[in-house]
Amino acid sequence: MNRRYRKTIIAGNWKMNKTISETKAFAEELKPLLGKPKWCEVVLCVPYVNIPAAVRAFKDSRVAIGAENCHSESHGAYTGEVTVEMLKEAGVKYVIIGHSERRQYYNETDFTVNKKVRAALDAGLYPIVCVGESLEQRELGVTMELITYQVKVALAGVPADKMRHVVIAYEPLWAIGTGKTATAEQAGEVCEAIRAVVRKLYGARVARSVTIQYGGSMNARNAAELLAQPDVDGGLIGGASLKAPDFVQIVNAANQE
Ligand code: PEP
């Protein structure tokens, strides 16, 4: 983390978990445990239908609400989809884009990710752009090339002044939901490489200010070590964001002065 230049952000990704009543109960449990973290921003990305309840439940807190996906078009015949304007009006601040589960199960590509990133930014949302390699790609030694490509395509056409809204999450596929975490060195090395790509595209000032998260089985036990890496500015947390006490411990690890 480097708070001098950029925000530390801990974001939960609930995926397809929790009903509206469970969302309200979670908020009541989380808020007193969390207090008002001063040094890091806390985000909960929740299923679409839970967004209004989550926005209401957290309105008097420091927790911002995010969505887990969005569509890139502004309206039209896309049954089952949700636009960025709908999310904005519902009180959403962040939106996860290009999560590996969306890439794997819903055919998202780097190009659809790019369209969604631009649509989210145009609506004033903060995209959390996910990139990451599979185990096979890591073993083949192409991680850095792949990540460079993913970041470049995701950011194509994004002007420098919009980059202060962009969050990039490095999520190695082999670490998501597997209980197998990247070592702090692996996470730090790839996050540093992502910052170098941003530097090449936008210059040193923008690169210094971009928040880059690590995601992949981050939990209360390993969070502090991962966050101690200078280029790891927070976490995208799946499983451990579903239980308030576990999530709070990760926030506490990030919320050090
Ligand atoms: C995720 O879904 O983005 C994620 C990192 O999940 P988990 O923490 O469960 O590995």
Side-chain angles (χ1 to χ4, degrees):
M1 296 183 286
N2 186 336
R3 287 222 190 72
R4 194 161 150 221
Y5 296 115
R6 48 195 178 256
K7 274 196 286 191
T8 301
I9 304 175
I10 297 294
N13 172 18
W14 279 3
K15 313 190 185 194
M16 197 171 72
N17 291 293
K18 294 196 190 292
T19 62
I20 292 171
S21 53
E22 287 167 345
T23 301
K24 290 180 190 163
F26 182 92
E28 291 324 305
E29 188 185 356
L30 182 71
K31 283 191 289 185
L33 293 175
L34 194 62
K36 297 212 186 301
K38 195 169 167 194
W39 302 103
C40 84
E41 180 145 351
V42 181
V43 182
L44 276 178
C45 299
V46 304
Y48 288 142
V49 290
N50 295 3
I51 288 170
V55 168
R56 262 197 307 278
F58 284 106
K59 90 171 173 316
D60 54 351
S61 76
R62 296 248 173 95
V63 178
I65 300 305
E68 300 175 11
N69 181 33
C70 63
H71 200 275
S72 55
E73 295 299 320
S74 62
H75 63 278
Y78 301 98
T79 303
E81 292 291 332
V82 168
T83 72
V84 289
E85 287 299 337
M86 293 173 192
L87 295 175
K88 179 82 180 162
E89 204 177 305
V92 160
K93 180 171 178 187
Y94 288 88
V95 55
I96 297 173
I97 296 179
H99 190 279
S100 62
E101 287 151 17
R102 301 247 13 127
R103 294 178 190 252
Q104 186 182 351
Y105 304 130
Y106 303 99
N107 304 322
E108 295 214 1
T109 67
D110 294 303
F111 290 91
T112 58
V113 167
N114 173 250
K115 281 189 184 172
K116 291 181 180 198
V117 168
R118 286 186 287 136
L121 290 169
D122 286 347
L125 296 177
Y126 288 63
I128 300 176
V129 188
C130 300
V131 296
E133 82 288 1
S134 65
L135 189 57
E136 200 181 5
Q137 289 161 333
R138 175 160 281 268
E139 286 172 352
L140 276 171
V142 297
T143 299
M144 295 308 184
E145 287 91 338
L146 179 84
I147 299 284
T148 301
Y149 174 82
Q150 289 180 330
V151 172
K152 279 188 173 172
V153 178
L155 298 179
V158 173
D161 65 320
K162 293 253 175 84
M163 282 301 292
R164 70 202 150 79
H165 281 197
V166 173
V167 177
I168 300 172
Y170 166 53
E171 297 213 304
L173 274 56
W174 46 272
I176 297 177
T178 58
K180 197 170 173 216
T181 318
T183 64
E185 290 70 29
Q186 286 170 328
E189 184 185 31
V190 180
C191 290
E192 183 184 1
I194 292 172
R195 199 175 307 287
V197 176
V198 176
R199 190 177 304 117
K200 266 203 180 135
L201 294 171
Y202 295 98
R205 197 180 51 80
V206 169
R208 249 197 332 251
S209 67
V210 167
T211 296
I212 303 176
Q213 300 173 314
Y214 166 79
S217 300
M218 194 189 257
N219 57 41
R221 286 180 306 284
N222 57 32
E225 197 187 349
L226 288 159
L227 294 166
Q229 291 289 319
D231 287 294
V232 176
D233 308 313
L236 184 55
I237 325 290
S241 71
L242 294 170
K243 291 204 177 112
D246 295 0
F247 190 54
V248 165
Q249 284 191 54
I250 299 174
V251 173
N252 289 343
N255 192 40
Q256 306 296 325
E257 188 172 345

